[in-house]
Amino acid sequence: MDDSYLKEWDAEVISVSKEKFIVLDKTAFYPRGGGVEWDTGTITTDDGTEFKVVYTGKFSGEVSHELDHAGVKKGDMVHCRLDWDRRYLLMRYHTAAHVLSGVFFNEYDLKVTGNQLTIEKGRIDLNMGEMDVDLIKNAIDRSNDLIKKDLSVEIYYLSRTDAENDPVLFKLAMGFPHEIEMIRIVDIKGFDRQADGGCHVKSLSEIGSIEFLNAANKGKDFKRVYFQVQ
Ligand SMILES: [Zn+2]
């Protein structure tokens, strides 16, 4: 939540279920959510045994790590390591999706209503009426212009009251649970702010560039755009 660049850390296993689903006292493995895929990596116990983390999900409010084999016990101290290549690519895709949603919203008055980001490609859904591929390509060009400006990306927290007084923060329409008091903000300086729980690069140049793949008409006010980061 506070350091998207943390790659390794030590943790204690606080529960194990069905032999290979574990909860840690602290974790930087991102659980599948917000349209973004999960982190993978490894954990190593004190005796040097390595376990692969093959999936990370959130269940009943806890981050659960699925291991490739049994053997970890409650109370074990483990060393955790992210598959950084995968995570970093997902960060680039996630920040790219925010740049795109900012451009579509600020310059074309279009809302992104959903997204799905994997290491192969990104997908955003737009509330666009008639399909307009030229507009989509222009928006991607504008996004690449912004990336070249290398704006910084900052993360901070606002109280729920302050955040709710600033509706632009919720334009991705991915509601935040009401028990959350402090809202995490991802701020592309001078351009776009979003309430968001995900991992991001810290400056736009890290994205590289965004390339249009294709667009699909999924219905009235529902157009789907596929892109890649290069
Ligand atoms: Zn996001």
Side-chain angles (χ1 to χ4, degrees), residues 94 98 172 174 196 198 200:
H94 195 167
H98 280 224
L172 276 175
M174 290 197 294
D196 189 274
H200 289 270

Side-chain angles (χ1 to χ4, degrees), residues 82-216:
L82 292 182
D83 176 345
W84 179 250
D85 289 345
R86 173 183 169 85
R87 152 64 89 76
Y88 189 57
L89 192 47
L90 290 171
M91 283 161 57
R92 291 169 58 210
Y93 268 105
H94 195 167
T95 309
H98 280 224
V99 173
L100 288 169
S101 85
V103 168
F104 279 115
F105 185 79
N106 294 343
E107 301 184 20
Y108 300 92
D109 204 23
L110 291 171
K111 264 192 186 179
V112 170
T113 55
N115 61 278
Q116 189 172 57
L117 308 172
T118 73
I119 56 169
E120 282 92 30
K121 60 176 183 277
R123 188 196 93 195
I124 56 173
D125 296 334
L126 287 173
N127 70 340
M128 173 185 266
E130 291 299 307
M131 175 66 94
D132 187 342
V133 175
D134 287 336
L135 185 156
I136 292 167
K137 287 180 175 170
N138 285 336
I140 290 176
D141 288 344
R142 287 286 302 124
S143 301
N144 284 321
D145 291 343
L146 280 162
I147 290 168
K148 287 201 194 91
K149 287 189 188 160
D150 199 18
L151 305 177
S152 65
V153 182
E154 289 178 17
I155 290 182
Y156 51 86
Y157 293 83
L158 289 179
S159 72
R160 171 173 284 281
T161 318
D162 287 347
E164 284 177 346
N165 284 331
D166 197 351
V168 73
L169 294 172
F170 295 94
K171 63 179 169 290
L172 276 175
M174 290 197 294
F176 272 67
H178 270 283
E179 62 271 20
I180 296 180
E181 279 307 312
M182 296 303 285
I183 305 293
R184 183 174 178 270
I185 307 298
V186 174
D187 187 345
I188 301 174
K189 282 307 207 186
F191 172 64
D192 178 73
R193 289 172 301 138
Q194 283 295 311
D196 189 274
C199 304
H200 289 270
V201 297
K202 56 180 184 284
S203 67
L204 290 192
S205 65
E206 292 183 59
I207 294 170
S209 67
I210 301 173
E211 188 177 295
F212 174 74
L213 288 179
N214 53 58

Side-chain angles (χ1 to χ4, degrees), residues 14-39:
I14 58 171
S15 74
V16 180
S17 67
K18 295 179 186 161
E19 299 191 311
K20 57 177 194 169
F21 297 92
I22 68 164
V23 175
L24 300 167
D25 67 336
K26 48 185 184 290
T27 187
F29 285 100
Y30 179 78
R32 180 184 196 169
V36 186
E37 286 200 336
W38 56 94
D39 282 335

Side-chain angles (χ1 to χ4, degrees), residues 131 136 212 214-219 222-226:
M131 175 66 94
I136 292 167
F212 174 74
N214 53 58
N217 189 348
K218 305 299 283 184
F222 184 7
K223 305 295 176 275
R224 188 161 269 180
V225 179
Y226 295 93

